Amino acid sequence: MGAQWKAKHKDLAANAKGRLFGKLAKEIMIAARSGADPGSNARLRLVVEQARKVSMPKDTLERAIKKGAGLTGESVHFDHVIYEGFAPHRVPVMVECLTDNVNRTAPEMRVLFRKGQLGASGSVAWDFDHLGMIEAEAQQADADPELAAIEAGAQDFEPGDEGVAVFLTDPADLDIVSRALPAQGYTVLSAKLGYKAKNPVDPASLSAEHLEEVEAFLAAIDANDDVQNVFVGLAG
C-alpha cells in the first residue's frame, strides 16, 4: 500500500473495467501528443501495452491514440495535478489527477479531504520518493527478482504474491528497465511513474476501526473520475 493503494473489493472498486479504460484512455491521449507511433514513443508504448493486457477494445485504444495525436480534429487538454494531504489518523496520501477542468476538480478534492486533511503543495511530497514502478510476473517459479532487478538496472524491488514483484527505478529509467525485464524471466504487467512513502505508517499502529476509516476515505478519493492514482504512506 505504500506504493499505490488498490481497493480490496474489486467488485465494488473504482477500478472496474469501465473506469480503468477511462483512466488508460486519458494516459494514452496525453502520451500520444508526442507521436501516434508506439514504436518511437516510449511513453505511449508502455501505456498501450498496459491497455492491451487489460483487454481494452481495439477501437477504444486506437481512438484514444488518434485523439491525443490530434488526428481527429478534436482538441484534447488535460492538466496533471497532485493533491497532497492526510487520510484519517495522519496517514499521508498523494492523489494524482488528470483533469480537463481544474475549477471542478479542486473543490471536489476539498470536499473529499474533509474527513482527512488537505495540505499545501510540498506538505507531504517531501516524505515520498518519485519513482518508476514496474509490476512484473515471473515466467518460472524459480525466477530470482533480486538478480532480475540488478541485471535489468532497477534500483530495488518489492516481492509480491504468486511470483509478482514491483521493480523500482529512477523515473528516467522506466522504459529501459521495462524492456530489459523480459530477458530476465519477467513479464511486465504495468509500468508507470509513481510515489513511494519513505516512512510509511505501520498498520499495526491503527485499530481495525481506524483502518476501515482510512480504507473508506481512499475508496471515496479513488472513485472520483479525475483521479488517476492514489499513493498512500501505509506499509504492507
Side-chain angles (χ1 to χ4, degrees):
M1 201 179 280
Q4 180 175 357
W5 175 78
K6 294 181 180 179
K8 292 180 179 178
H9 307 291
K10 292 187 177 180
D11 55 332
L12 300 176
N15 63 351
K17 284 258 178 171
R19 292 206 63 245
L20 177 59
F21 291 165
K23 290 184 177 186
L24 286 169
K26 280 186 181 179
E27 295 206 23
I28 289 168
M29 283 187 275
I30 289 175
R33 290 176 184 170
S34 301
D37 179 12
S40 58
N41 183 338
R43 182 178 179 184
L44 179 60
R45 182 182 65 79
L46 289 172
V47 185
V48 166
E49 286 182 1
Q50 187 177 349
R52 286 174 174 159
K53 284 184 173 69
V54 297
S55 302
M56 175 184 275
K58 185 178 180 181
D59 61 337
T60 303
L61 174 59
E62 292 179 349
R63 185 166 59 248
I65 292 175
K66 289 177 180 178
K67 190 172 181 179
L71 302 177
T72 64
E74 299 175 76
S75 176
V76 178
H77 177 76
F78 291 110
D79 287 307
H80 179 260
V81 189
I82 299 287
Y83 294 94
E84 307 173 30
F86 294 91
H89 313 295
R90 301 295 293 177
V91 174
V93 59
M94 296 188 68
V95 181
E96 183 179 36
C97 295
L98 287 176
T99 176
D100 59 359
N101 187 346
V102 175
N103 292 328
R104 177 193 65 239
T105 307
E108 289 179 353
M109 287 296 111
R110 284 196 293 270
V111 170
L112 289 168
F113 266 93
R114 282 178 181 170
K115 293 188 177 181
Q117 180 183 347
L118 183 63
S121 178
S123 61
V124 170
W126 65 270
D127 200 27
F128 284 77
D129 288 320
H130 189 213
L131 299 166
M133 298 176 175
I134 305 167
E135 188 176 21
E137 183 177 20
Q139 297 167 5
Q140 296 182 347
D142 61 351
D144 184 343
E146 183 175 12
L147 180 60
I150 293 170
E151 293 294 330
Q155 290 184 348
D156 202 354
F157 75 97
E158 295 179 346
D161 297 329
E162 299 179 355
V164 175
V166 176
F167 295 89
L168 305 174
T169 78
D170 183 275
D173 294 338
L174 180 64
D175 185 53
I176 294 171
V177 177
S178 295
R179 288 177 179 269
L181 280 171
Q184 303 305 319
Y186 278 83
T187 299
V188 174
L189 303 176
S190 68
K192 64 175 65 179
L193 297 177
Y195 296 87
K196 178 177 169 55
K198 298 176 184 176
N199 302 290
V201 174
D202 184 351
S205 68
L206 302 175
S207 67
E209 181 182 356
H210 287 176
L211 277 173
E212 286 183 7
E213 291 174 1
V214 173
E215 283 284 342
F217 173 88
L218 297 174
I221 292 281
D222 193 57
N224 184 278
D225 287 341
D226 293 329
V227 172
Q228 287 293 108
N229 297 296
V230 182
F231 300 98
V232 186
L234 195 61

